[in-house]
């Protein structure tokens, strides 16, 4: 039996070179259903590059990926999303001139007789927004009027609003308050219970060890090791990251 068939996502031998930089060197990574698998490493270790390849934002130079046992070679973010693989990137992908609700449902605005059904849109947005602590915010609020932390929560809400099999979160708590982090973690646990596989990138080691099931450490574009989070101390992760 193929040992990869019990994995939701399997990547093997992934290599990526940018001009003057080899970002990934034969990286292997896997993700199970209902698992949070964290990627950690110093800046430039290759975490975001690997995740962007998985999400179709970048294309690898070589390597192979399987999604639910089937060949998976996304050529664009749209390709990946069609297969249920989504990414909330560190660089916010919001349109400031549009409302919170419009940004959350930008790809599937409800319409009626050719016009946007704003009542339906705002009701749907309120349900998603309440899950990430934005329940008191008017869905019609322009995104441009929000601070960075709240914009980050809108981006996360947009990611959570879509059906997905794999959700990648790149530094999702960088601009969040402690209470917003708790709301995010509650949603991550809900998605886990629904069988969604979550790739979680963060420099906050204590946070990673709290939310992740497994941790993979990257250094200089290579995998140093993968460990069960519950068996790791923060000092051990840092040692793996820096090599000393």
């Amino acid at each position: 039996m193929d040992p990869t068939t019990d994995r939701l996502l399997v990547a093997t031998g992934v290599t990526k070179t940018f001009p003057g930089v080899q970002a990934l060197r034969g990286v292997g990574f896997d993700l199970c259903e209902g698992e949070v698998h964290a990627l950690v490493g110093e800046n430039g270790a290759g975490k975001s590059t690997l995740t962007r390849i998985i999400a179709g934002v970048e294309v690898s130079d070589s390597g192979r990926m399987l999604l639910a046992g089937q060949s998976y070679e996304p050529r664009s973010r749209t390709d990946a999303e069609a297969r249920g693989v989504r990414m909330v990137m560190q660089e916010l992908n919001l349109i400031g001139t549009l409302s919170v609700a419009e940004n959350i449902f930008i790809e599937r605005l409800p319409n009626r007789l050719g016009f946007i059904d704003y009542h339906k849109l705002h009701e749907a947005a309120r349900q998603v927004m309440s899950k990430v602590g934005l329940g008191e915010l008017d869905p019609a609020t322009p995104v441009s009027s929000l601070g960075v932390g709240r914009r980050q929560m809108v981006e996360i809400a947009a990611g959570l609003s879509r059906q997905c099999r794999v959700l990648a979160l790149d530094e999702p708590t960088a601009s969040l308050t402690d209470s917003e982090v708790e709301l995010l973690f509650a949603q991550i646990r809900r998605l886990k219970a629904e069988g969604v596989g979550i790739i979680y990138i963060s420099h906050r080691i204590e946070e990673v060890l709290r939310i992740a099931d497994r941790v993979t450490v990257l250094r200089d574009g290579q995998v140093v090791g993968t460990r069960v989070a519950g068996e790791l101390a923060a000092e051990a992760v840092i040692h793996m990251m820096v090599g000393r």
Side-chain angles (χ1 to χ4, degrees):
M1 178 182 289
D2 184 343
T4 64
T5 55
D6 64 337
R7 306 294 187 182
L8 175 59
L9 176 76
V10 178
T12 54
V14 177
T15 299
K16 180 67 177 180
T17 302
F18 296 104
V21 178
Q22 185 160 9
L24 297 174
R25 309 165 187 261
V27 168
F29 178 80
D30 64 78
L31 179 70
C32 299
E33 291 186 3
E35 175 188 40
V36 177
H37 193 156
L39 283 171
V40 300
E42 295 186 287
N43 288 336
K47 310 179 299 296
S48 293
T49 300
L50 175 61
T51 310
R52 289 164 73 91
I53 288 170
I54 291 170
V57 181
E58 302 279 357
V59 178
S60 65
D61 299 332
S62 60
R64 182 182 182 221
M65 292 193 291
L66 299 175
L67 181 65
Q70 302 297 313
S71 179
Y72 174 63
E73 298 178 358
R75 310 307 293 180
S76 67
R77 190 173 184 177
T78 301
D79 276 356
E81 291 180 349
R83 298 283 296 272
V85 178
R86 301 186 178 276
M87 181 178 185
V88 176
M89 293 189 284
Q90 195 172 3
E91 312 85 38
L92 298 183
N93 192 35
L94 302 174
I95 302 171
T97 54
L98 297 183
S99 70
V100 171
E102 288 167 330
N103 270 281
I104 291 174
F105 291 98
I106 187 68
E107 298 167 355
R108 55 202 192 288
L109 295 170
N111 66 79
R112 187 170 164 223
L113 302 176
F115 296 93
I116 296 174
D117 186 338
Y118 280 101
H119 176 74
K120 188 174 181 179
L121 172 64
H122 290 165
E123 282 301 309
R126 285 189 185 95
Q127 292 182 28
V128 179
M129 291 164 63
S130 66
K131 294 177 180 177
V132 295
L134 296 177
E136 83 292 349
L137 186 66
D138 184 347
T141 303
V143 162
S144 59
S145 69
L146 302 180
V148 175
R150 284 198 160 188
R151 290 190 192 194
Q152 181 77 16
M153 294 307 291
V154 171
E155 181 86 7
I156 291 168
L160 295 175
S161 72
R162 297 164 169 83
Q163 291 294 321
C164 61
R165 303 163 84 181
V166 174
L167 178 64
L169 300 170
D170 190 354
E171 299 287 355
T173 64
S175 303
L176 303 187
T177 64
D178 290 345
S179 60
E180 288 169 339
V181 170
E182 293 305 316
L183 287 166
L184 173 62
F185 281 8
Q187 291 311 304
I188 287 174
R189 294 186 188 100
R190 176 183 65 82
L191 291 169
K192 278 183 61 175
E194 294 174 0
V196 177
I198 298 167
I199 302 170
Y200 192 92
I201 298 176
S202 179
H203 283 95
R204 300 178 178 182
I205 305 303
E206 296 291 351
E207 176 182 289
V208 164
L209 296 180
R210 181 180 160 207
I211 196 65
D213 298 293
R214 286 189 295 158
V215 178
T216 289
V217 179
L218 292 175
R219 186 169 73 235
D220 298 327
Q222 295 177 293
V223 174
V224 177
T226 298
R227 303 285 187 272
V228 175
E231 299 173 357
L232 277 174
E235 294 79 7
V237 177
I238 293 168
H239 184 274
M240 293 171 72
M241 286 170 54
V242 301
R244 61 185 183 277

